[in-house]
Amino acid sequence: MDRESTYQPSAYNSQIPRDLPKGKSPDERGGYFTRTAYGTPLPLPGAQCREYIAEAQCDVFDLEKIQNNGSDEKKCRYMRNPHLMDFWPTLFEWPVMASTLCYVAGWFCFGGGLSVTVLLFLMGGTEELLKALPHMMPIFLFFFLSWVILMLLTRGEPKLKKDTRFYRRSGMVSIYQKDEDRLEVPFDEFDPHLTPRTGPTGSTGFLLQLVHRYSDLLIQHINVYNEEFEVYLEWERLHQFMDISQPIPDRVITEPARQFDPVTAEYDEKHDRPKHFWRDMSDEEFEIRREAARKAAKDFPWGKTRKQALASGWKPSEHRIDWQVLKEKQQTA
């Protein structure tokens, strides 16, 4: 497995950028409402923060997924080969909708059920709790059975059709088109934009959108993030994944795939990165690292390079952890 035979000539390389013409100006894209829908451009200089376990969708359950029995090849196939392709799903597909409903049912069943139980106990003690049980049980059983059924239905590799696919080895973005062949566009022709969103209840959030420089094509990430830094981090992650001058982002869920990407495998060997760095980590250490990573990502001076950030006093997550306290906790666990 070598670079020349793995990556196509069209693969994106930030160290050898293409000489691309200037794209549409904001005024050329339309009126005020069109520009507002696109959001604010993100002039970020590539992957600089790199605190990827601070991502909102990264949690301790990712550790459990890669700790399961099975070969790394099997795990990669289950994840749609994350060394080859990243993808943005759309909510309006059954596998995505089913996974969302499964999450909601599980939350209401376990999180909601526990919260209501504790609240009733605190308000009226055991007697009040026993009175409410006959009314609570049917609701609990409904959400529990829904969760079990949806868990079974969403097992295995998701069969997505309408997703947007980002291919690392070719540098192309594959976009679903109804009743037509998928459209393929070079990744480096897209610019990232941050777009505020207000929900029906008045809650606010932020979206990551990719705007094509030479057309009105727009791709929207499915997640609505609570904080702006999460959008910046998501763009960094995608940018680094597509950039073959860099290893794929060091994330928990994609650790089994690192050995199958030539640039990443070479990087890991050169830097003595353990093959199972995340897999062999305890839940306690992971949670401490994740909390430190979120603080580091939130404090990062976005728009600056990592070198500039360090010079200004920013500290990465590795320097925010009291390793002695962690060691003592692990010894007493």
Side-chain angles (χ1 to χ4, degrees):
M1 183 173 62
D2 59 83
R3 299 189 185 197
E4 289 72 19
S5 61
T6 300
Y7 305 111
Q8 298 177 21
S10 58
Y12 172 63
N13 187 332
S14 65
Q15 302 303 307
I16 314 175
R18 292 194 298 159
D19 185 16
L20 295 170
K22 186 178 179 181
K24 286 187 173 184
S25 67
D27 291 335
E28 292 174 317
R29 291 197 175 277
Y32 168 79
F33 291 105
T34 300
R35 294 194 296 272
T36 301
Y38 281 2
T40 306
L42 298 180
L44 301 178
Q48 304 295 329
C49 176
R50 304 196 292 270
E51 298 284 353
Y52 296 121
I53 63 168
E55 293 175 306
Q57 60 268 35
C58 179
D59 53 40
V60 72
F61 296 110
D62 285 347
L63 281 181
E64 297 176 3
K65 292 176 184 176
I66 65 171
Q67 288 168 350
N68 291 337
N69 293 330
S71 65
D72 288 339
E73 291 87 348
K74 184 177 180 180
K75 293 174 183 175
C76 287
R77 286 196 301 271
Y78 176 81
M79 293 184 287
R80 303 178 77 189
N81 292 314
H83 57 295
L84 303 178
M85 177 186 72
D86 193 56
F87 63 95
W88 286 5
T90 174
L91 183 61
F92 304 104
E93 272 200 276
W94 164 245
V96 180
M97 183 68 74
S99 297
T100 303
L101 292 174
C102 181
Y103 173 83
V104 172
W107 188 91
F108 275 107
C109 177
F110 301 106
L114 179 61
S115 300
V116 171
T117 300
V118 172
L119 182 62
L120 287 172
F121 180 78
L122 292 175
M123 291 178 62
T126 305
E127 182 178 350
E128 190 68 27
L129 181 60
L130 292 174
K131 286 181 181 179
L133 275 179
H135 305 286
M136 292 172 54
M137 286 305 296
I139 300 174
F140 172 81
L141 288 174
F142 170 78
F143 284 114
F144 177 75
L145 291 175
S146 300
W147 176 73
V148 170
I149 293 170
L150 289 167
M151 282 285 287
L152 293 173
L153 291 176
T154 54
R155 290 179 63 188
E157 179 183 343
K159 306 297 182 182
L160 300 179
K161 177 183 177 182
K162 300 178 182 178
D163 57 330
T164 299
R165 302 167 187 174
F166 300 86
Y167 292 105
R168 174 174 169 88
R169 293 186 177 183
S170 67
M172 304 300 288
V173 182
S174 176
I175 303 163
Y176 170 78
Q177 299 183 107
K178 186 177 181 180
D179 300 326
E180 296 183 41
D181 293 337
R182 295 182 71 91
L183 174 67
E184 293 210 342
V185 182
F187 173 74
D188 57 4
E189 292 184 6
F190 287 96
D191 296 314
H193 285 62
L194 179 145
T195 308
R197 282 289 185 269
T198 302
T201 61
S203 60
T204 58
F206 304 94
L207 284 171
L208 173 61
Q209 299 189 131
L210 301 186
V211 178
H212 189 236
R213 201 170 300 135
Y214 311 117
S215 71
D216 295 327
L217 181 62
L218 182 146
I219 308 170
Q220 186 178 99
H221 196 285
I222 191 174
N223 289 345
V224 178
Y225 295 99
N226 293 324
E227 302 194 58
E228 290 188 36
F229 82 83
E230 294 174 318
V231 176
Y232 304 150
L233 199 59
E234 174 62 27
W235 166 245
E236 272 203 359
R237 184 196 64 75
L238 179 63
H239 186 274
Q240 182 172 337
F241 172 78
M242 292 296 288
D243 186 358
I244 63 168
S245 71
Q246 299 186 67
I248 62 176
D250 199 345
R251 305 168 68 214
V252 177
I253 196 66
T254 58
E255 182 174 67
R258 295 183 66 83
Q259 60 191 297
F260 303 119
D261 180 74
V263 169
T264 308
E266 182 181 311
Y267 175 91
D268 288 352
E269 182 178 2
K270 182 179 179 179
H271 293 83
D272 294 322
R273 183 195 184 278
K275 182 179 179 180
H276 297 139
F277 175 76
W278 295 115
R279 194 195 73 176
D280 295 340
M281 188 175 295
S282 67
D283 291 356
E284 182 181 49
E285 180 178 347
F286 173 78
E287 291 291 2
I288 291 174
R289 283 180 175 271
R290 174 168 161 72
E291 181 61 26
R294 285 190 65 82
K295 290 179 179 177
K298 195 168 185 176
D299 294 344
F300 190 82
W302 298 95
K304 296 184 180 295
T305 65
R306 191 176 183 87
K307 185 176 180 180
Q308 290 171 333
L310 292 169
S312 68
W314 175 77
K315 293 192 298 184
S317 58
E318 291 282 334
H319 298 165
R320 296 169 182 256
I321 299 172
D322 190 328
W323 296 104
Q324 183 60 35
V325 171
L326 175 59
K327 184 177 180 180
E328 291 172 359
K329 285 184 177 180
Q330 290 176 327
Q331 288 175 343
T332 57

